[in-house]
mmCIF file of all heavy atoms in Angstrom:
data_model
loop_
_atom_site.group_PDB
_atom_site.id
_atom_site.type_symbol
_atom_site.label_atom_id
_atom_site.label_comp_id
_atom_site.label_asym_id
_atom_site.label_seq_id
_atom_site.Cartn_x
_atom_site.Cartn_y
_atom_site.Cartn_z
ATOM 1 N N PHE A 1489 -11.992 10.051 -6.540
ATOM 2 C CA PHE A 1489 -10.583 10.151 -6.199
ATOM 3 C C PHE A 1489 -10.069 8.844 -5.615
ATOM 4 O O PHE A 1489 -10.833 7.949 -5.256
ATOM 5 C CB PHE A 1489 -10.347 11.296 -5.193
ATOM 6 C CG PHE A 1489 -11.410 11.409 -4.141
ATOM 7 C CD1 PHE A 1489 -11.473 10.525 -3.082
ATOM 8 C CD2 PHE A 1489 -12.386 12.400 -4.227
ATOM 9 C CE1 PHE A 1489 -12.459 10.622 -2.123
ATOM 10 C CE2 PHE A 1489 -13.378 12.512 -3.268
ATOM 11 C CZ PHE A 1489 -13.414 11.621 -2.210
ATOM 12 N N PHE A 1490 -8.740 8.762 -5.544
ATOM 13 C CA PHE A 1490 -8.036 7.598 -5.025
ATOM 14 C C PHE A 1490 -7.068 8.067 -3.940
ATOM 15 O O PHE A 1490 -6.806 9.257 -3.804
ATOM 16 C CB PHE A 1490 -7.222 6.890 -6.125
ATOM 17 C CG PHE A 1490 -8.022 6.463 -7.314
ATOM 18 C CD1 PHE A 1490 -8.384 7.377 -8.296
ATOM 19 C CD2 PHE A 1490 -8.386 5.140 -7.474
ATOM 20 C CE1 PHE A 1490 -9.108 6.987 -9.413
ATOM 21 C CE2 PHE A 1490 -9.103 4.741 -8.585
ATOM 22 C CZ PHE A 1490 -9.473 5.660 -9.546
ATOM 23 N N SER A 1491 -6.526 7.106 -3.201
ATOM 24 C CA SER A 1491 -5.417 7.446 -2.307
ATOM 25 C C SER A 1491 -4.228 7.857 -3.152
ATOM 26 O O SER A 1491 -3.894 7.196 -4.139
ATOM 27 C CB SER A 1491 -5.047 6.240 -1.427
ATOM 28 O OG SER A 1491 -6.092 5.936 -0.537
ATOM 29 N N SER A 1492 -3.590 8.938 -2.795
ATOM 30 C CA SER A 1492 -2.473 9.457 -3.578
ATOM 31 C C SER A 1492 -1.309 8.470 -3.567
ATOM 32 O O SER A 1492 -0.986 7.904 -2.513
ATOM 33 C CB SER A 1492 -2.019 10.803 -3.019
ATOM 34 O OG SER A 1492 -0.865 11.252 -3.672
ATOM 35 N N PRO A 1493 -0.657 8.228 -4.727
ATOM 36 C CA PRO A 1493 0.495 7.306 -4.751
ATOM 37 C C PRO A 1493 1.612 7.733 -3.812
ATOM 38 O O PRO A 1493 2.334 6.892 -3.281
ATOM 39 C CB PRO A 1493 0.941 7.353 -6.220
ATOM 40 C CG PRO A 1493 -0.238 7.821 -6.983
ATOM 41 C CD PRO A 1493 -0.982 8.740 -6.061
ATOM 42 N N GLY A 1494 1.761 9.036 -3.589
ATOM 43 C CA GLY A 1494 2.835 9.504 -2.727
ATOM 44 C C GLY A 1494 2.446 9.652 -1.277
ATOM 45 O O GLY A 1494 3.286 9.992 -0.435
ATOM 46 N N ALA A 1495 1.178 9.410 -0.953
ATOM 47 C CA ALA A 1495 0.696 9.578 0.420
ATOM 48 C C ALA A 1495 0.232 8.222 0.931
ATOM 49 O O ALA A 1495 -0.849 7.768 0.620
ATOM 50 C CB ALA A 1495 -0.454 10.587 0.473
ATOM 51 N N GLY A 1496 1.066 7.580 1.678
ATOM 52 C CA GLY A 1496 0.724 6.276 2.226
ATOM 53 C C GLY A 1496 1.412 6.097 3.562
ATOM 54 O O GLY A 1496 1.963 7.026 4.143
ATOM 55 N N VAL A 1497 1.373 4.873 4.057
ATOM 56 C CA VAL A 1497 1.949 4.544 5.353
ATOM 57 C C VAL A 1497 2.911 3.373 5.171
ATOM 58 O O VAL A 1497 2.573 2.386 4.516
ATOM 59 C CB VAL A 1497 0.855 4.168 6.372
ATOM 60 C CG1 VAL A 1497 1.475 3.663 7.666
ATOM 61 C CG2 VAL A 1497 -0.032 5.366 6.657
ATOM 62 N N VAL A 1498 4.100 3.501 5.735
ATOM 63 C CA VAL A 1498 5.012 2.374 5.873
ATOM 64 C C VAL A 1498 4.774 1.783 7.255
ATOM 65 O O VAL A 1498 4.977 2.465 8.265
ATOM 66 C CB VAL A 1498 6.479 2.819 5.732
ATOM 67 C CG1 VAL A 1498 7.412 1.667 6.037
ATOM 68 C CG2 VAL A 1498 6.739 3.318 4.328
ATOM 69 N N ALA A 1499 4.330 0.550 7.313
ATOM 70 C CA ALA A 1499 4.013 -0.097 8.596
ATOM 71 C C ALA A 1499 4.800 -1.394 8.713
ATOM 72 O O ALA A 1499 4.637 -2.303 7.904
ATOM 73 C CB ALA A 1499 2.518 -0.370 8.708
ATOM 74 N N ILE A 1500 5.668 -1.460 9.717
ATOM 75 C CA ILE A 1500 6.474 -2.649 9.989
ATOM 76 C C ILE A 1500 5.874 -3.361 11.194
ATOM 77 O O ILE A 1500 5.729 -2.756 12.262
ATOM 78 C CB ILE A 1500 7.934 -2.281 10.294
ATOM 79 C CG1 ILE A 1500 8.508 -1.374 9.198
ATOM 80 C CG2 ILE A 1500 8.790 -3.526 10.465
ATOM 81 C CD1 ILE A 1500 9.805 -0.714 9.594
#
Side-chain angles (χ1 to χ4, degrees):
F1489 39 76
F1490 304 79
S1491 293
S1492 174
V1497 173
V1498 173
I1500 308 166

